[in-house]
């Protein structure tokens, strides 16, 4: 990896190390990891439990900072940034999709999506319309005003996808997005994300054990014991699940 | 969106939040009710004192005893023509009363009483009769007869038309005793007078005490009670060293201070209630924070700053505070407005207290007009909101310190 990120690099880790504890209890969750993710990639981070997948996603998502090393998002080196600036980058550049959907239960579907726009400081006058368009794009045009507890798991995850995408982020981080869904629903969710990737060029970074997701990934970064052990780039991946 | 989010979060767990809300409502209501009632009691005491005992300005012989049934008549005041003219010009009304302490005897029974000899023509200009209940002849028609209070009538088993003996010393110090017919039984609204008092007609006073032009008290009513101090000073200078003057303020000072103590106690109760409310709100917000760790993590992932998390949870405290404070202020304010307009009839309570002997000679008007004060309502509501906001700051800070990477997967 080059020291200076190329224009297509959305996110780059350079010698990123994350340790917990000290002395005899020191644990390296990530150990000198250098990896870059380019615009439009559909990448899976794979590895056994404890390999550092979640820690890597936390670094890339700016939810955590490395003990040493650098993390750059769209060319901006972040390890020295103040929490307020990190929050602003998360709000404007990064979308999150979680295993447990993580919708705000007291807000309707459209309000959940709108909240992401509000936090990204998007102009107020068209926030509602943008939120509705994002929900319509994931097939939830009829469910704007339903609360999360009135939606199925698959529908909730679609709201989460709409929430992640509505602000046109540089990067979407999806942490086990299909783990709480049945296989058919999971495939549908995956199709939506692939469509967004192919049609809009949205960059996705997954952490998953789901073989269905692994099958669709164009790039798989294998981690073990906090280190990148393989960076596999694939070709001829079907556009649609089962396709 | 924050406000909407906060409001919905508060209503999401309304069973738990309602306890905190009730505490805020109660705290704010106690402030409004307590202050309204105490202000009402203060005014009630002042009004009763002015209307039944002293007027706005009072003059009496120097070193006049202030307690018990001591009403000496050996050093009386005289009001010269100049002073009378000045009083006519400067006051809304003035009168002379002579207080003395005769023994009233009926058959084998007797008791010492507080007797008031008054000027039937001028007395109503200072002491209104609105709260008086008269059985038999009014005091203005007593002449050489007496009008007794219900208390004296009860103790001595006096009925209208009975003849009693009234024993007293004259202004010269001689013992005197006269037969006098009881022509009326009058309740004046002054508890001390109604318990052990009699009114003596002017001719009886003249014959019994032989005071000449002397009188023990001069009382004046003013157009503005705030002028009492200057009028008292002028009256003092006119009556000379043998007299001392006092204002309604001097005469009610001790009682008003007692009410202010009561006010402080009520404020303390309100403080305790609001402290309970603060604890409840802090606990509610803290529980909400720990129940919503993942939600906090999600909001942080979406770009909410730590300050934003604090704002969100403090807003929830604010919503609870505003709802509770507005409810408390409106409910208590409505009650105070009703009582301020219609008044509260204290007669049943006073009758009970009189029976039980739980109050002595403190003049209390039978109608209590509480104070309706929008400023107090607003102040209490603002205080309630401030308590709620302050109480939610610490749990909000705790919520904001949750590491987002852990919180989001909690």
């Amino acid at each position: 990896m080059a020291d200076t990120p190329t224009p297509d690099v959305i996110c780059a880790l350079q010698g990123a190390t994350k340790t917990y504890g000290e002395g005899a209890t020191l644990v390296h969750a990530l150990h000198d990891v250098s990896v870059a993710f380019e615009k439009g990639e559909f990448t899976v981070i794979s590895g056994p439990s404890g390999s550092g997948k979640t820690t890597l996603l936390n670094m890339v998502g700016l939810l955590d900072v490395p003990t040493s090393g650098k993390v750059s998002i769209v060319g901006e080196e972040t390890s020295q940034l103040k929490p307020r600036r990190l929050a602003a980058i998360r709000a404007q550049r990064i979308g999150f999709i979680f295993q447990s959907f993580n919708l705000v239960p007291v807000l309707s579907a459209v309000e959940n999506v709108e909240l992401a726009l509000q936090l990204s400081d998007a102009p107020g006058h068209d926030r509602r319309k943008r939120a509705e368009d994002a929900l319509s794009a994931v097939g939830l045009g009829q469910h704007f005003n339903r609360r999360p507890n009135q939606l199925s798991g698959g529908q909730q995850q679609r709201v989460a996808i709409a929430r992640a995408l509505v602000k046109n982020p540089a990067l979407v981080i999806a942490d086990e997005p299909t783990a709480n869904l049945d296989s058919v629903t999971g495939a549908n969710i995956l199709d939506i994300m692939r469509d967004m990737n192919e049609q809009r060029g949205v960059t996705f970074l997954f952490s998953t054990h789901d073989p269905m997701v692994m099958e669709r990934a164009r790039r798989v970064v294998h981690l073990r014991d906090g280190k990148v052990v393989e960076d596999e780039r694939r070709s001829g991946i079907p556009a649609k699940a089962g396709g | 969106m924050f406000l909407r989010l906060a409001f919905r979060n508060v209503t999401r767990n309304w069973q738990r939040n309602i306890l905190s809300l009730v505490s805020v409502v109660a705290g704010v209501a106690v402030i409004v009710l307590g202050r309204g009632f105490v202000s009402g009691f203060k005014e009630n005491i002042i009004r009763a004192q002015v209307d039944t005992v002293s007027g706005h300005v009072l003059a009496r012989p120097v070193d006049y005893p202030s307690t018990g049934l001591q009403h000496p008549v050996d050093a009386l005041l005289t009001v010269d023509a100049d002073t009378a003219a000045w009083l006519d010009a400067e006051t809304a009304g003035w009168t002379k009363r002579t207080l003395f302490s005769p023994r009233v005897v009926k058959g084998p029974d007797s008791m010492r009483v507080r007797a008031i000899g008054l000027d039937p023509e001028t007395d109503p200009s200072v002491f209104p009769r609105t709260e008086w209940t008269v059985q038999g002849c009014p005091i203005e028609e007593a002449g050489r007869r007496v009008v007794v209070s219900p208390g004296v009538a009860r103790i001595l088993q006096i009925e209208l038309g009975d003849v009693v003996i009234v024993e007293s010393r004259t202004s010269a110090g001689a013992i005197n005793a006269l037969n006098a017919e009881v022509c009326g039984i009058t309740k004046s609204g002054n508890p001390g007078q109604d318990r052990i008092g009699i009114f003596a007609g002017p001719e009886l006073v003249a014959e019994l005490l032989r005071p000449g032009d002397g009188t023990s008290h001069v009382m004046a009513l003013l157009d503005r009670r705030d002028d009492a101090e200057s009028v008292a000073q002028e009256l003092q200078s006119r009556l000379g060293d043998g007299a001392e003057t006092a204002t309604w303020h001097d005469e009610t000072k001790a009682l008003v201070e007692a009410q202010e103590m009561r006010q402080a106690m009520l404020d303390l109760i309100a403080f305790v209630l609001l402290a309970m409310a603060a604890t409840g709100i802090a606990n509610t917000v803290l529980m909400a924070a720990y129940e919503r760790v993942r939600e906090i993590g999600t909001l942080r992932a979406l770009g909410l700053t730590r300050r934003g998390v604090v704002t969100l949870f403090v807003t929830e405290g604010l919503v609870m505070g505003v709802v509770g404070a507005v409810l408390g202020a409106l409910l208590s304010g409505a009650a105070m407005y009703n009582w301020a307009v219609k008044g509260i009839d204290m007669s049943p309570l006073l009758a009970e207290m009189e029976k039980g002997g739980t109050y002595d000679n403190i003049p209390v008007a039978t109608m209590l007009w509480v104070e309706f004060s929008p400023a107090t309502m607003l102040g209490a509501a603002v205080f309630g909101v401030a308590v709620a906001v302050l109480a939610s700051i610490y749990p909000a800070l705790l919520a904001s310190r949750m590491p987002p990477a852990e919180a989001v997967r909690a």
Side-chain angles (χ1 to χ4, degrees), chain A residues 54 57-58 63-64 83-84 87-88 90-91 94 96 98 100 102-108 111 114-116 118-120 128 147 163 167 175, chain B residues 1-2 4-12 292 294-295 297-308 403-410:
Chain A
T54 299
L57 288 188
N58 287 342
L63 294 175
D64 204 351
R84 177 174 281 272
R90 285 199 301 272
I94 303 171
F96 288 92
F98 299 102
S100 302
N102 289 31
L103 301 178
V104 179
V106 294
L107 297 181
S108 66
E111 287 169 341
E114 205 179 346
L115 179 64
Q118 184 176 1
L119 291 171
S120 70
R128 177 54 63 106
R147 296 267 182 100
R163 182 179 66 184
K167 56 193 178 185
D175 186 9
Chain B
M1 186 72 86
F2 270 6
R4 191 185 310 166
L5 198 54
F7 195 80
R8 288 186 191 168
N9 278 327
V10 169
T11 54
R12 153 159 90 171
R292 284 156 47 201
R294 185 190 293 169
E295 191 178 314
T298 305
L299 291 170
R300 297 292 310 275
L302 290 175
L304 189 67
T305 58
R306 276 186 57 186
R307 183 181 289 183
E406 294 169 27
V408 81
R409 294 178 181 84

Side-chain angles (χ1 to χ4, degrees), chain B residues 266-314:
Chain B
L266 285 167
D267 284 348
L268 185 65
I269 291 171
F271 179 78
V272 169
L273 282 168
L274 284 171
M276 286 168 60
T279 309
I281 286 171
N283 188 46
T284 299
V285 176
L286 193 62
M287 286 171 78
Y290 281 120
E291 281 171 3
R292 284 156 47 201
V293 171
R294 185 190 293 169
E295 191 178 314
I296 294 166
T298 305
L299 291 170
R300 297 292 310 275
L302 290 175
L304 189 67
T305 58
R306 276 186 57 186
R307 183 181 289 183
V309 175
V310 172
T311 304
L312 178 64
F313 280 89
V314 169

Side-chain angles (χ1 to χ4, degrees), chain B residues 304-376:
Chain B
L304 189 67
T305 58
R306 276 186 57 186
R307 183 181 289 183
V309 175
V310 172
T311 304
L312 178 64
F313 280 89
V314 169
T315 306
E316 290 180 21
L318 176 73
V319 167
M320 274 191 278
V322 167
V323 172
V326 167
L327 268 178
L330 286 182
L331 289 175
S332 55
M336 296 312 279
Y337 181 76
N338 180 53
W339 288 324
V341 170
K342 294 182 180 170
I344 300 170
D345 186 2
M346 302 277 287
S347 313
L349 177 65
L350 295 176
E352 281 300 312
M353 290 170 74
E354 197 171 347
K355 272 188 209 164
T358 49
Y359 78 121
D360 293 327
N361 299 330
I362 301 168
V364 181
T366 52
M367 288 301 286
L368 174 66
W369 305 94
V370 301
E371 185 190 52
F372 171 71
S373 165
T376 302

Side-chain angles (χ1 to χ4, degrees), chain A residues 4 32 34 68 74 76 82 85 88 115 117-118 120 129 142 145 148 151 173 184 204 206 215 233 242:
Chain A
T4 305
D32 194 22
S34 295
S68 63
V74 199
E76 185 171 4
K82 291 185 174 174
R85 177 62 191 151
L115 179 64
L117 284 174
Q118 184 176 1
S120 70
K129 184 172 184 311
Q142 305 299 314
N145 295 315
L151 297 169
I173 294 171
V184 175
F204 280 88
F206 292 87
E215 280 172 17
R233 292 173 192 270

Side-chain angles (χ1 to χ4, degrees), chain B residues 9-274:
Chain B
N9 278 327
V10 169
T11 54
R12 153 159 90 171
N13 228 325
W14 67 269
Q15 290 105 324
R16 188 174 64 202
N17 293 338
I18 204 135
L19 286 173
S20 305
L21 274 181
V22 166
S23 304
V24 178
V25 170
V28 169
V30 165
I31 293 176
V32 174
L33 293 172
R35 289 190 165 257
F37 267 99
V38 169
S39 294
F41 275 124
K42 274 198 255 183
E43 271 307 307
N44 180 296
I45 286 169
I46 291 167
R47 199 173 72 244
Q49 174 76 21
V50 169
D51 286 353
T52 67
V53 179
S54 67
H56 288 132
V57 175
L58 166 75
R60 59 197 163 203
V62 71
D63 296 331
Y64 196 81
S66 59
T67 56
L69 269 176
Q70 298 178 65
H71 296 289
V73 290
D74 55 346
L76 297 175
L77 307 174
T78 53
V79 179
D80 60 31
D82 269 0
T83 303
W86 175 80
L87 283 166
D88 285 341
E90 296 296 323
T91 67
W94 69 280
T95 191
K96 296 187 281 190
R97 279 184 168 188
T98 297
L99 274 60
F100 56 107
S101 312
R103 177 169 294 278
V104 174
V105 183
K106 189 205 166 205
D109 298 324
S110 70
M111 67 181 289
R112 188 166 291 280
V113 300
R114 174 183 293 119
I116 297 176
L118 51 77
D119 179 340
E121 289 180 11
T122 58
D123 200 76
S125 69
V126 178
F127 300 109
R129 308 296 200 236
T130 47
E131 305 225 351
W132 287 30
T133 51
V134 178
Q135 187 186 350
C137 77
I139 183 61
E140 287 77 13
E141 296 171 11
R144 198 193 166 283
R145 298 174 292 181
V146 293
V147 171
V148 301
S149 65
V152 171
R154 189 178 65 249
I155 292 166
L156 296 180
Q157 297 185 320
I158 292 171
E159 293 179 2
L160 291 178
D162 285 352
V163 174
V164 295
I165 300 168
V166 185
E167 293 178 3
S168 176
R169 287 186 182 273
T170 66
S171 60
I175 294 173
N176 198 1
L178 297 172
N179 284 330
E181 181 191 339
V182 177
C183 72
I185 300 173
T186 291
K187 189 171 189 299
S188 68
N190 178 332
Q193 181 66 19
D194 290 343
R195 222 153 40 107
I196 53 166
I198 67 169
F199 290 99
E203 291 162 28
L204 181 65
V205 172
E207 197 175 332
L208 186 65
L209 303 182
R210 299 181 188 163
D213 293 334
T215 183
S216 69
H217 289 74
V218 176
M219 291 94 161
L221 198 67
L222 309 179
D223 291 323
R224 294 177 61 249
R225 72 183 189 187
D226 291 347
D227 295 338
E229 192 63 42
S230 59
V231 171
Q233 282 177 9
E234 176 65 20
L235 185 60
Q236 174 73 66
S237 69
R238 285 174 176 274
L239 293 177
D241 292 342
E244 65 179 18
T245 56
T247 66
W248 62 271
H249 186 259
D250 301 328
E251 294 297 286
T252 57
K253 199 172 176 184
L255 294 172
V256 167
E257 279 173 357
Q259 291 303 312
E260 279 163 1
M261 282 290 291
R262 188 169 292 173
Q263 170 100 60
M265 284 171 63
L266 285 167
D267 284 348
L268 185 65
I269 291 171
F271 179 78
V272 169
L273 282 168
L274 284 171

